[in-house]
Amino acid sequence: MSGKCLSVLFLLCALLLTIPGGAVPLSYRVGLGDDPEVPRILREFTDVSPEAWYGESLAFVFQRGLFQGTSATTFSPLQAMTRAMGAEVLWRHAGAPKQALPLPGSEVPSSAWYAPAVSWAWESGILCGDNAGTCAPEALLTREMLVTLLWRYA
């Protein structure tokens, strides 16, 4: 399996754990148990217990810059993801490519924190309109949409 496929598979697992109804403890470990940075990373967030079952996975995606948390001190591991958050993670995984054009006629303001990621995902054909034909970046990311995003990204 190629490195990109493995990365996308790991992203799928990590993202599914943050979607409502998807928080199922896994016995799989990402192999960071001996990394001295894991406890430090987990202590940075006031809403994450260092003993949390998902702690190593959280540290893994944080160390790689895929997830940054919802503030300097909170990660919000139980918060549902939006379509914009999903686009942001894939955009970061792709190396945060620059996009020259904002979304034409979109409901995404150029000042939104997710504007570059959503623009990239839209232009790349990864994030397409919802049933109403809008971008809907603030809409919740369903499992079906996540699988679709990952399929288009891969």
Side-chain angles (χ1 to χ4, degrees), residues 57-110:
S57 296
L58 186 151
F60 181 88
V61 296
F62 182 80
Q63 283 179 319
R64 283 150 184 81
L66 300 174
F67 287 76
Q68 294 179 342
T70 54
S71 79
T73 60
T74 59
F75 196 87
S76 304
L78 301 179
Q79 176 182 338
M81 287 189 73
T82 64
R83 291 165 52 101
M85 291 173 172
E88 182 83 12
V89 170
L90 294 178
W91 177 70
R92 289 178 187 159
H93 187 264
K98 301 280 186 224
Q99 293 305 111
L101 302 172
L103 291 171
S106 170
E107 68 273 20
V108 179
S110 59

Side-chain angles (χ1 to χ4, degrees), residues 12 16 19-24 141-148:
L12 174 62
L16 281 176
I19 295 176
V24 178
L141 182 65
T142 65
R143 289 179 179 177
E144 295 83 2
M145 175 52 66
L146 174 63
V147 170
T148 301

